[in-house]
Amino acid sequence: MRVFDIPGFPNPLRVRIVLAEKNLSSQVEFVKVDLPAAEHKQPAFLSINPTGTVPVLQLDDGTYIAECTAITEYLDNLDANPVLTGRTPKQKAIIHMMQKRAESELIDPVGIYFHHATPGLGSALQAYKRPDWEGRTAWGERERGRAIAGMRYFDGVLSQQPYVAGDAFSMPDITVWAGLLFAGFANITIPEECEALKAWRSRIDERPSVKNPA
Ligand code: GTS
């Protein structure tokens, strides 16, 4: 298998943590995509992922799989023990629900804020982000507010249960963790009163797969 990504970036880390969780790190070759140079917006990369984002997984038969959620589902099921995406119908449904919230209420708004209301990854990539659009800053700022609201939401969840989808670590924990990492890069701080979220983050920081992702 090959993974097209860039080390240390938030969404790529989601898959690298999954690879470590599933003991698959040694089975993957990484191909670096130069995001600051906008390599992911060029025809060669767009032919493997028309969305123009990383990571992308390439299977040994040549199939490309984009989207962290889809990649995680694939990797998690290889050993027929899908602990990250759920084994029972109820687990699968709750994980799916919380995963959607982790993306729509946290990591995606942070990404929009970062790329549209800050200099983002620099001028080569900004050329693909409509930097001259006059509504851009207001849109980015609105997404920043949505990300902070998302932090408050997950703080409430984590004040009631140890992990985002219940009693066990699963895919949305990885996404919320990556969302907070990304928020840090974008200078969006966790509200002071979000004690449960901060305590959860400190616990996740210590997880072997998070300390040593693929
Ligand atoms: N929904 C996608 C997924 O789950 O894979 C999101 C992927 C994504 O946004 N990746 C970022 C990207 O490629 C990388 S990072 O910002 O998380 O590091 N962004 C490129 C761009 O031009 O916005």
Side-chain angles (χ1 to χ4, degrees), residues 88-117:
T88 67
K90 183 177 170 185
Q91 284 173 350
K92 284 178 196 290
I94 291 175
I95 287 171
H96 190 122
M97 174 178 74
M98 298 310 282
Q99 176 61 31
K100 178 71 181 167
R101 291 178 187 168
E103 294 186 3
S104 65
E105 309 307 318
L106 184 59
I107 195 166
D108 290 349
V110 171
I112 292 169
Y113 170 75
F114 177 73
H115 286 294
H116 294 274

Side-chain angles (χ1 to χ4, degrees), residues 5 14 32 59 103 148 164 168 174 179 193 199 204 206-207:
D5 78 351
R14 290 167 62 186
K32 186 174 174 185
L59 307 185
E103 294 186 3
I148 292 171
V164 172
I174 298 172
E193 68 277 15
I204 303 297
E206 293 307 312
R207 224 175 148 84

Side-chain angles (χ1 to χ4, degrees), residues 109 112-113 117 136-149:
I112 292 169
Y113 170 75
R136 180 176 199 258
T137 305
W139 182 47
E141 286 299 331
R142 192 194 68 156
E143 295 301 309
R144 181 178 184 280
R146 290 189 60 234
I148 292 171

Side-chain angles (χ1 to χ4, degrees), residues 9-12 14 40-41 53-54 67-68 115 125 129 182:
F9 279 52
N11 281 288
R14 290 167 62 186
H40 56 304
K41 302 300 183 196
T53 56
V54 291
E67 295 298 322
C68 294
H115 286 294
L125 186 53
K129 305 284 182 189
F182 205 169

Side-chain angles (χ1 to χ4, degrees), residues 18 20 27 54 77 87 93 99 142 153 155 163 169 187 189 199:
V18 171
Q27 295 188 35
V54 291
N77 280 282
R87 278 173 289 208
Q99 176 61 31
R142 192 194 68 156
Y153 166 72
D155 180 62
Y163 295 100
F169 179 85
N187 286 321
T189 47

Side-chain angles (χ1 to χ4, degrees), residues 3-4 19 28 42 52 57 74 79 131 140-141 150 177 185-186 190 210:
V3 170
F4 294 77
L19 288 165
V28 172
Q42 308 312 315
L57 174 70
Y74 177 81
D79 62 0
E141 286 299 331
W177 182 87
F185 294 163
I190 302 176
V210 172

